[in-house]
């Protein structure tokens, strides 16, 4: 397998000029695209339609180039919210498995999966955990990885809207449903990787027992889909890739030492060329950070997920001196309370 990773700046959710340039220059073959992750400049909440706008624009463009069948297999993960210094961008992943020659080396491998659509009363429940876990296992197998070699699992998951709400749903609140969907999806990753035992889980644990979490899961909820789209990233021993991935866990929103730990996990030094960083952000549910009170959870004007993205985004960007990083808000069961997983992709090209 050969995986390539392209980080592309955007002037807006519908700006594909950077992607088009790469394709015209024949640096990127659109038929090899398997996943696209993006940061869009909406509010990241239920009514953030910049995510769907970005996906629709990408699909419309790619369908004309590679057809409906190949486009439908691509995982699209758009995370809304570029508060503070975060800069809107796309990260495009390509994968080749044929026509490869020459020596192999340890490097980045990936797998993708799409679950079935979820009924509204399944979102945020144990059923969702089970379905996601099977999807993650399938993506790991497609990548040719073992669970121990997995460094990052990104999932885009659905939410419950007022129009689609049923009495059996886990919550009638659309915004709270985002947390339940993220949490159940993250626990699905934890089950697939053996971090949490399924037979010890109950519906009551979801978004309540935060002692249960995955160290590599990153989940993002949106109104633009009804299933889960899964991207698994890890390192395999024999690849043609020129990238390595590593991860760590931020213990709190200001734990910038996690950047160096993630780089070391990828086998690099702090000076290694970074392609992109992926992190989760959360306002600590205890109401404190490093022993002092924070007010993110008490602000009625600005949602706490937006504040958390701004804080973590600025903290990481200040370390790597690059605001074009992927920071997603809401880390239910994704790392410890108040913290979250962080992954870094390094290139062996100077």
């Amino acid at each position: 397998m050969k995986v390539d990773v392209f980080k592309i700046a955007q002037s807006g959710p519908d700006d594909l000029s950077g992607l088009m340039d790469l394709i015209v220059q024949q640096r990127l073959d659109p038929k090899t695209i398997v996943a696209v992750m993006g940061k869009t400049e909406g509010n990241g909440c239920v009514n953030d339609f910049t995510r769907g706008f970005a996906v629709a624009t990408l699909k419309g463009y790619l369908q004309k180039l590679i057809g409906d069948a190949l486009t439908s297999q691509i995982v699209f993960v758009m995370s809304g919210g570029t508060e503070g210094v975060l800069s809107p961008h796309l990260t495009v992943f390509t994968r080749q498995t044929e026509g490869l020659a020459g020596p192999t080396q340890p490097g980045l491998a990936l797998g993708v999966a799409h679950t079935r659509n979820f009924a509204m009363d399944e979102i945020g429940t144990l059923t969702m955990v089970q379905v996601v876990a099977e999807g993650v296992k399938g993506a790991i197998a497609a990548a040719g990885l073992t669970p121990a070699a997995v460094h990052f699992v990104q999932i885009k998951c659905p939410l419950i809207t007022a129009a689609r709400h049923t009495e059996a749903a886990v919550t009638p609140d659309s915004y709270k449903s985002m947390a339940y969907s993220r949490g159940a999806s993250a626990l699905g990753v934890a089950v697939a990787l053996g971090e949490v035992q399924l037979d010890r889980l109950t519906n009551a644990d979801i978004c309540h027992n935060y002692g249960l979490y995955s160290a590599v899961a990153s989940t993002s909820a949106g109104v633009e889909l009804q299933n889960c789209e899964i991207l698994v990233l890890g390192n395999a021993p024999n690849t043609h890739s020129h990238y390595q991935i590593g991860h760590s866990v931020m213990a709190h929103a200001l734990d910038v030492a996690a950047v160096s730990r993630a780089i070391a996990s990828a086998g690099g030094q702090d000076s290694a060329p970074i392609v992109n960083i992926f992190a989760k952000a959360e306002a600590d549910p205890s109401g404190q950070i490093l022993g002092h009170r924070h007010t993110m959870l008490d602000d009625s004007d600005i949602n706490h997920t937006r504040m958390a993205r701004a804080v973590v985004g600025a903290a990481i960007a200040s370390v790597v001196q690059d605001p074009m990083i992927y920071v997603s808000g809401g880390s239910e069961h994704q790392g410890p309370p108040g913290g979250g997983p962080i992954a870094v992709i390094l290139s062996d090209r100077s």
Side-chain angles (χ1 to χ4, degrees):
M1 181 184 299
K2 180 183 180 184
V3 173
D4 281 303
V5 189
F6 303 86
K7 186 166 70 170
I8 306 167
Q10 286 190 293
S11 62
D14 62 338
D15 177 21
L16 302 183
S17 59
L19 176 61
M20 292 176 180
D21 287 345
L22 289 171
I23 292 173
V24 169
Q25 296 164 13
Q26 297 186 337
R27 294 175 56 196
L28 189 161
D29 180 355
K31 292 181 180 179
T32 64
I33 296 174
V34 289
V36 182
M37 292 176 61
K39 284 302 302 181
T40 63
E41 56 228 74
N43 60 24
C45 297
V46 175
N47 64 330
D48 183 353
F49 295 105
T50 64
R51 298 172 302 215
F53 182 32
V55 171
T57 304
L58 280 161
K59 285 184 175 181
Y61 171 64
L62 291 173
Q63 283 167 345
K64 295 176 183 177
L65 290 181
I66 63 176
D68 292 344
L70 285 179
T71 301
S72 67
Q73 296 174 23
I74 298 172
V75 165
F76 294 97
V77 179
M78 297 298 133
S79 172
T82 53
E83 296 82 3
V85 299
L86 292 173
S87 183
H89 67 282
L90 298 174
T91 305
V92 179
F93 296 87
T94 64
R95 178 181 61 194
Q96 294 174 259
T97 56
E98 298 178 356
L100 300 172
T104 60
Q105 61 188 24
L108 184 63
L110 66 78
V112 298
H114 296 72
T115 71
R116 63 169 174 80
N117 286 353
F118 290 96
M120 291 300 102
D121 60 359
E122 292 178 324
I123 293 175
T125 69
L126 202 56
T127 297
M128 188 176 198
V129 174
Q130 293 171 311
V131 173
V132 169
E134 290 306 310
V136 172
K137 290 177 182 178
I140 292 172
L145 295 169
T146 64
V150 174
H151 284 273
F152 189 66
V153 180
Q154 176 65 55
I155 296 178
K156 190 67 189 182
C157 51
L159 55 83
I160 300 168
T161 63
R164 293 188 292 191
H165 171 255
T166 68
E167 292 300 323
V170 69
T171 176
D173 186 308
S174 295
Y175 182 73
K176 288 182 179 178
S177 79
M178 298 179 78
Y180 276 99
S181 185
R182 289 191 300 257
S185 297
L187 287 171
V189 176
V191 168
L193 296 179
E195 297 169 296
V196 171
Q197 299 303 310
L198 181 62
D199 58 6
R200 297 184 181 181
L201 265 180
T202 68
N203 280 315
D205 287 318
I206 301 172
C207 287
H208 289 94
N209 184 0
Y210 289 118
L212 303 174
Y213 62 82
S214 171
V216 298
S218 173
T219 64
S220 176
V223 72
E224 65 270 21
L225 77 176
Q226 295 184 44
N227 67 328
C228 282
E229 301 198 356
I230 301 166
L231 169 64
V232 168
L233 297 169
N235 295 318
N238 299 299
T239 77
H240 292 269
S241 303
H242 292 280
Y243 305 89
Q244 292 271 359
I245 186 169
H247 80 278
S248 184
V249 177
M250 297 182 73
H252 51 78
L254 300 177
D255 183 14
V256 293
V259 176
S260 294
R261 296 196 299 268
I263 291 172
S265 172
Q269 305 294 323
D270 283 354
S271 59
I274 296 173
V275 180
N276 209 349
I277 290 181
F278 309 91
K280 291 299 298 187
E282 178 178 71
D284 196 310
S286 71
Q288 291 197 333
I289 181 169
L290 295 175
H292 297 283
R293 185 171 69 95
H294 72 74
T295 62
M296 288 185 280
L297 296 169
D298 299 320
D299 195 310
S300 298
D301 297 314
I302 303 174
N303 190 275
H304 61 87
T305 56
R306 305 193 70 186
M307 290 188 178
R309 274 193 300 269
V311 171
V312 174
I316 295 174
S318 69
V319 174
V320 299
Q321 290 295 287
D322 184 357
M324 201 184 298
I325 54 178
Y326 181 98
V327 178
S328 172
S331 59
E332 302 84 4
H333 302 292
Q334 301 152 73
I342 178 171
V344 59
I345 294 178
L346 303 180
S347 171
D348 65 10
R349 296 165 172 163
S350 58

